[in-house]
Amino acid sequence: MVSVTVNNKTIQKPEQNANVNDLMNFVLNEVLHDDEVITSIDIDGRELSYEEEQSSLAMPVSNYKDINFSTTSSYELAFDALNDCSTYIETIIAKIAQYTELQNDNKQEQANMMFGEVIEIMDLYVQLMAKIYKTVRKRHQEQLRHTNTFQTLEIHLLSIMKAMIPAKEKNDIIMLNDLLEYELIDNLTQWKIKAIPELKKLRDL
């Protein structure tokens, strides 16, 4: 008989003919709290990769001896993701340097590709930071009421991104380089030394 656990604690199982996807939905809807998420699935003592998880969802639960769901709160996940934000910033700054070098070498096609990569990573960064801030704010509204670091940097960052697209379309290289090398890098540096540390400190409160 299969043993089903959440964070290694035994739970009541759903109907006997359930597949792994049914079991996962049962855990999400009946076992976890609203702010909890599944972070990994271990089957028969082995943590599955994303691809393995997808292929196992349709398999009957009875095919296995042991299924354990590891979970965490969205709050904890948000703080874990803050560490990734610094990596995003370092990646963006490195790609801006590569873009500038390609422009200086008059390698326009490669520079255009690099610019596209910068914009793509910036979009991901903005979305990630917005989700993190929204999650953290639910628990720390009072503390965040006394600082506007996040909002100020976010507004400035979005205005930079908005200005970069027409500068690129008009092939205004001077304006674009100014936005990338000075405005954007300065803004991202402020995220790294001010906004992210401010949010990280809230974890200990």
Side-chain angles (χ1 to χ4, degrees), residues 18-22 54-64 67:
N19 59 28
V20 175
N21 189 59
D22 296 330
Q54 299 310 300
S55 62
S56 69
L57 291 179
M59 301 297 291
V61 170
S62 57
N63 281 18
Y64 307 106
I67 301 176

Side-chain angles (χ1 to χ4, degrees), residues 58-108:
M59 301 297 291
V61 170
S62 57
N63 281 18
Y64 307 106
K65 294 180 181 179
D66 178 79
I67 301 176
N68 178 66
F69 295 91
S70 296
T71 72
T72 190
S73 68
S74 53
Y75 178 78
E76 289 297 324
L77 205 59
F79 281 103
D80 290 342
L82 273 177
N83 295 322
D84 295 330
C85 291
S86 294
T87 304
Y88 270 98
I89 290 171
E90 291 166 6
T91 301
I92 295 164
I93 291 175
K95 287 189 178 295
I96 291 171
Q98 292 175 44
Y99 168 81
T100 302
E101 187 176 337
L102 290 167
Q103 283 281 15
N104 291 339
D105 292 341
N106 204 26
K107 297 179 179 178
Q108 197 59 49

